[in-house]
Amino acid sequence: GTCPNRASAELPLFVDFRDLFLETADAITLGGSGSAPYGSLGVNLYTIMERMLYGKNNDGTLMINDLVVNSITEAQSGVPGKLDFGETEIMSFLNPPFLENATNIFRDLLTGRVEFGIGGLLADNLNTIVTPLELLQPTTEATSISNEVNVGNSEYPDLRA
């Protein structure tokens, strides 16, 4: 098929994730139209994502650990499953001082410098994602998706941060 011309098509303002990601019967079960208004590309990509990320490796671990987590963390820290920001400041806040002269005690207290920061973040054993795992899971609400990621269990090392 061809994509509809946006100017002439009567397309909804919001995307219904049930119809975008799910097969007809599954979309209808969750309250979608099941009419595939977005074509089949979204359904096909979602199915491929589920097979690739939710599948299991020969050792029983989820494929998302190797395909996504290990790739990202090794590129960042050099170690699969570890994010290391060392001395990097991740977030900081510095309040701006008042420009006018303070005339009362409460304003005097507020004109002091307040600084807040987070840095030196380390997270290890991130490559122990286990079931249940949900990514971009459509719900009974058209514009809502559910995500659930569980890291570690009694068989894997503890997540360290």
Side-chain angles (χ1 to χ4, degrees):
T2 61
C3 293
N5 180 341
R6 180 67 177 150
S8 64
E10 291 186 24
L11 296 175
L13 182 60
F14 298 102
V15 172
D16 186 329
F17 291 114
R18 302 168 297 193
D19 289 324
L20 178 64
F21 292 144
L22 301 177
E23 297 285 347
T24 300
D26 294 332
I28 291 171
T29 299
L30 288 178
S33 71
S35 65
Y38 312 109
S40 61
L41 181 61
V43 174
N44 292 335
L45 290 174
Y46 189 76
T47 301
I48 291 168
M49 179 204 70
E50 284 187 313
R51 288 182 185 154
M52 290 180 64
L53 301 182
Y54 298 172
K56 295 201 175 186
N57 293 314
N58 292 336
D59 63 0
T61 61
L62 292 177
M63 291 173 66
I64 189 173
N65 291 305
D66 289 332
L67 294 175
V68 178
V69 179
N70 282 346
S71 299
I72 292 170
T73 55
E74 187 169 18
Q76 191 276 330
S77 69
V79 179
K82 182 180 197 173
L83 288 177
D84 186 356
F85 292 99
E87 298 301 316
T88 304
E89 186 172 50
I90 297 185
M91 182 183 84
S92 66
F93 169 78
L94 174 63
N95 73 314
F98 286 107
L99 298 178
E100 60 188 64
N101 292 332
T103 57
N104 65 44
I105 191 164
F106 295 110
R107 187 163 291 168
D108 287 342
L109 291 172
L110 294 176
T111 59
R113 179 182 169 122
V114 176
E115 190 172 342
F116 173 79
I118 297 176
L121 180 68
L122 169 75
D124 200 6
N125 299 324
L126 291 170
N127 55 352
T128 57
I129 294 176
V130 296
T131 57
L133 172 65
E134 282 186 359
L135 297 174
L136 306 175
Q137 184 68 46
T139 67
T140 56
E141 296 179 37
T143 58
S144 178
I145 54 175
S146 175
N147 295 288
E148 179 181 351
V149 177
N150 289 283
V151 180
N153 62 23
S154 61
E155 298 176 26
Y156 298 105
D158 291 337
L159 175 66
R160 295 182 322 143

